[in-house]
Each structure stands twice: as C-alpha cells, then as structure tokens.
Amino acid sequence: MADDAPTQRSSPVLQLLASGLQFWIRQQCEAVESLELQLHGSSLGLLRGRLDGVSLVARRVVFSSLEIERVELRSDAIDVQVGNLLRGKAVQLEHPFNIEGTVAFSAGGLGRSLCTPHWRPLGDQLVDGLLGLTPLKSVNIERDRLVLQAQEHRCETIPRAVDGHLELCGEDGNPCVALPADPNITIENANLEGGLLQLQGRARVSP
C-alpha cells in the first residue's frame, strides 16, 4: 500500500487535521491504495472551526464493494470540530458539505463490482434491460463503447449523463437503461476515455 502523500507543512494544526481526515476517509472505504490530500485554509480559520475546503486524489479505492480506479474531488468549506482533534481524538465532521469532481472506473473493476452480492442485482438489471437476458457475464471497454455481455450476447453502449443520473444507451440510442439515482449525487458528464469510464459531478456528503 502506498504511503499517504504529505500535505500542508507550514501549519502543525493543518498537518494534524490532514492526518485525521486521511484516517476518516480510509475508515469510510474497504480499501485505498494511495491517497493525497491538500487542505485549503488557515490555522486561524481552523481554530474557529472552519476549513475552506479539501482537494483529494485517490487511486484504487473500494467503497461499498465498488472498485474505483481514480477519484479526484474538491470540497467546499467544511465545519470541523478541532477540540477533540487537538486532544488526540478522532476528527469529527458534524455538518453536511458539498463535493465536486471526477471518478473513473476500469472495465475490470466494474465487472468485479457488478458480480459482488451487493451490486449483482444492478448488473443483472442492466443486461436485462439492454438484452433481455441475465445474468451479467462480463464488462469491457472497447474504444468509446461500454460493452456488457450476458450468456453469448453482447450490447455496445454509450454512457450518458441525463437529468443528473447515468444512462447506458445502445449505439442507435435505443434501448436505454437508467441506473438508479441517488438524490445526493448529480452526474453532470459521462465519457469513455483512456480505457476508463469517467463520471463528473457533484454530491452532498452527510458525515
């Protein structure tokens, strides 16, 4: 596992918070291969309980049984209770905050994720809607197409962001299958690039 990258070196308080946030993020995930944080703000603002924001880059993350190849996020201002942190206790985030950025998925990661007990119903729902067959057998990325296979049949799809959620559509625009929408997540753009499915959007995080 790669070491976490150092962050703000100018302020011991910010360094302490960075370590606390790295620990908190890792607690939310089943695995994180590498994690880089950059904190935005000042020690004075932090002592008043406010951080201007956090930039994050993480690689090979597993969150809720979902394998993510790369995550790049930026948060808006965060309210932080630093009293316990300064006393050596875990960082506490008590109020919701907004994030925006990009997450990228490899075909292999998607295929493995959609075969876990947690996500298999979604994988089967996708191929049932696209092919009328189940179960999902494999996921591949070929050029600018996301290819799903069930039994001996396959469907080349184009990912699209529609009204804040993700849809997979056949090459002629039909059929289209919408993935279940999370009211706290808005997907603004979806594309296939460099062998990865990349989703851009924003979300509301409730600690």
Side-chain angles (χ1 to χ4, degrees), residues 58-60 67-72 102-110 112 139-147 157-159 166 168 189-200:
R59 291 179 172 80
R60 293 188 173 85
E67 294 188 28
I68 308 172
E69 189 69 18
R70 187 179 71 252
V71 181
E72 297 181 16
T102 303
V103 293
F105 304 88
S106 68
L110 280 174
R112 287 187 294 272
V139 178
N140 292 291
I141 295 176
E142 299 178 4
R143 304 178 302 282
D144 58 347
R145 298 291 186 268
L146 184 68
V147 182
T157 69
I158 301 171
L166 178 64
L168 298 181
N189 186 48
N191 65 78
L192 294 165
E193 184 176 337
L196 298 172
L197 169 63
Q198 301 187 87
L199 306 179
Q200 294 176 305

Side-chain angles (χ1 to χ4, degrees), residues 96-116:
F97 56 93
N98 297 316
I99 60 174
E100 61 180 21
T102 303
V103 293
F105 304 88
S106 68
L110 280 174
R112 287 187 294 272
S113 299
L114 292 173
C115 287
T116 64

Side-chain angles (χ1 to χ4, degrees), residues 55-145:
S55 297
L56 173 153
V57 178
R59 291 179 172 80
R60 293 188 173 85
V61 175
V62 180
F63 176 76
S64 190
S65 300
L66 185 63
E67 294 188 28
I68 308 172
E69 189 69 18
R70 187 179 71 252
V71 181
E72 297 181 16
L73 300 175
R74 168 71 188 256
S75 79
D76 61 7
I78 301 175
D79 293 327
V80 181
Q81 300 299 321
V82 296
N84 286 340
L85 182 64
L86 294 174
R87 289 191 290 271
K89 297 183 180 180
V91 65
Q92 290 185 335
L93 304 177
E94 297 185 349
H95 302 286
F97 56 93
N98 297 316
I99 60 174
E100 61 180 21
T102 303
V103 293
F105 304 88
S106 68
L110 280 174
R112 287 187 294 272
S113 299
L114 292 173
C115 287
T116 64
H118 186 87
W119 295 106
R120 177 170 286 283
L122 175 59
D124 289 346
Q125 177 185 332
L126 291 175
V127 289
D128 186 37
L130 292 164
L131 293 167
L133 299 169
T134 59
L136 174 69
K137 182 177 179 180
S138 67
V139 178
N140 292 291
I141 295 176
E142 299 178 4
R143 304 178 302 282
D144 58 347
R145 298 291 186 268

Side-chain angles (χ1 to χ4, degrees), residues 162-182:
V162 179
D163 297 329
H165 63 267
L166 178 64
E167 287 188 357
L168 298 181
C169 297
E171 289 188 277
D172 58 359
N174 189 40
C176 284
V177 176
L179 277 73
D182 185 322

